[in-house]
Amino acid sequence: WQRPLEMLTARMVDRVIACSEACREDYMSWGRIPPRKIVTVYNGVDLARVRRPPEAELRAVRASLRVEGRPLVGIVGRLSAEKDHRTFLEAMRLVHRAVPSVAAIVIGKGPDELALIKATERLGLGSVVTFLGAPPEIMALLASLDVLVLSSRTEGLPTVLLEGQALGVPVVTTDAGGARETVREGETGFIVPCGDSQGLAARMI
């Protein structure tokens, strides 16, 4: 019901704003919005809030997670189908085989939470992957990561990738929506096809 409504309202307005070039192209394709009417305004991050904490604070965060001395991977997002955490978990199984000391944290809540916890156990990752729910503040957690991962199948412009890179954390993301527009390939992170658990694992490793 939403798309016909958006197609109708797009004809009534002077400008339509997209948060990435990928979204702009998508909206023009299915919404039949004239190119002159649709502009891209990228999401931003507040660098006064997204600042890397002192190393002592990061060590304390890792100690609270009981991952001192272990490579730490993290994923942030709503626990629902479009974020494709199952591909992330399958990739983590491969990473764990190659790097047995690895640890991972999952930040977020959503309808798939219980199913994902059960999948984690089935994959033998119960001692590797920790579900943290939705903490009120995650900047110190993000800054504590060695790798930030996004496994989505669809995105607009993922703010968490901007935040992670602003904190100096390398990212591995699927090529969903505007995700590739946030990454300097090979410099600040890597991009892999959606649903590619092997490619995701290889880049994480």
Side-chain angles (χ1 to χ4, degrees):
W1 62 266
Q2 187 174 355
R3 283 194 171 188
L5 182 62
E6 290 182 350
M7 291 170 71
L8 175 64
T9 55
R11 288 165 171 76
M12 301 166 58
V13 301
D14 296 311
R15 287 289 183 273
V16 175
I17 296 174
C19 64
S20 67
E21 281 296 301
C23 283
R24 182 175 183 270
E25 295 292 330
D26 190 43
Y27 294 157
M28 285 193 296
S29 173
W30 62 257
R32 301 189 181 95
I33 302 170
R36 61 179 173 77
K37 290 186 71 170
I38 184 164
V39 296
T40 299
V41 179
Y42 284 111
N43 296 339
V45 295
D46 181 358
L47 294 179
R49 184 179 73 90
V50 184
R51 290 189 294 182
R52 191 169 181 84
E55 288 303 313
E57 183 176 343
L58 298 183
R59 286 195 297 271
V61 169
R62 280 179 166 258
S64 70
L65 297 171
R66 299 179 181 176
V67 295
E68 302 101 311
R70 299 174 67 183
L72 183 61
V73 174
I75 185 169
V76 180
R78 177 175 163 78
L79 305 184
S80 53
E82 72 276 7
K83 299 297 184 181
D84 197 10
H85 286 78
R86 291 183 183 274
T87 289
F88 169 74
L89 292 176
E90 290 166 6
M92 279 305 305
R93 181 166 57 90
L94 299 173
V95 174
H96 183 237
R97 288 177 183 170
V99 187
S101 61
V102 73
I105 56 174
V106 177
I107 299 173
K109 301 284 285 183
D112 289 355
E113 182 173 8
L114 182 58
L116 290 170
I117 291 172
K118 289 180 178 178
T120 299
E121 295 295 334
R122 282 198 306 272
L123 291 168
L125 297 172
S127 63
V128 176
V129 178
T130 302
F131 287 77
L132 296 182
E137 176 54 53
I138 67 166
M139 287 305 122
L141 286 167
L142 280 182
S144 300
L145 299 175
D146 293 299
V147 182
L148 172 64
V149 178
L150 191 77
S151 56
S152 299
R153 290 186 177 274
T154 179
E155 282 288 346
L157 191 91
T159 302
V160 70
L161 293 184
L162 299 176
E163 293 170 335
Q165 290 169 98
L167 291 166
V169 179
V171 302
V172 178
T173 180
T174 48
D175 194 6
R180 82 161 38 247
E181 296 170 54
T182 75
V183 179
R184 293 178 180 169
E185 175 78 14
E187 182 181 341
T188 66
F190 294 108
I191 304 160
V192 302
C194 294
D196 183 1
S197 59
Q198 292 188 344
L200 202 67
R203 287 309 196 183
M204 290 159 66
I205 291 166

